[in-house]
Structures are given as C-alpha cells and as structure tokens.
Amino acid sequence: MKVIFDPDIPEDLREDILEAINEENIGNACKICGCDTLYVALLENILDVKCYECGHSYLEIEIAEEE
C-alpha cells in the first residue's frame, strides 16, 4: 500500500512508522473500500494509521519523547 504522512510527522520517524505498518500485514487494499493508500495522522501523542479514502483505522501507535 502507498503511505501518505501528515506534514507534522518528522522525517526521522517515517522509516520506523513504515516498518511498524509492514509488521502489521495490513494488505494491499483497504478491507472496507478497496483503497490502496494509507494516511498516517498525528493526533497529540498518537499516530493513527488509517485508510486514505474511508478513514478505517488499522493501527494506533503511541509516541513518547526521549529524555
């Protein structure tokens, strides 16, 4: 699947996010609408990986800042 990132997501996190998505074996198309694109949104400390077309959420990843 193609992945579109929210512009607020730092470049240095994107590769790790892609690895997490691949580990989930989401598939090649949305099981609800058939879209082949995912959108990764940043909602406070949560990354929401969802279908670009219908918004079906596949994965939520909590992020924390290292001290």
Side-chain angles (χ1 to χ4, degrees), residues 7-65:
D8 294 335
I9 298 174
E11 290 286 333
D12 60 332
L13 290 179
R14 294 181 184 197
E15 191 63 38
D16 292 333
I17 296 167
L18 288 173
E19 288 178 21
I21 291 170
N22 287 333
E23 288 175 7
E24 288 296 314
N25 295 320
I26 292 172
N28 294 324
C30 176
K31 56 187 169 188
I32 305 297
C33 72
C35 177
D36 69 346
T37 305
L38 294 173
Y39 185 75
V40 181
L42 179 60
L43 309 168
E44 296 188 24
N45 292 351
I46 303 291
L47 294 169
D48 186 17
V49 180
K50 56 188 171 184
C51 174
Y52 185 75
E53 290 293 322
C54 73
H56 175 74
S57 183
Y58 284 95
L59 177 66
E60 289 185 350
I61 304 169
E62 185 174 355
I63 56 174
E65 292 183 26

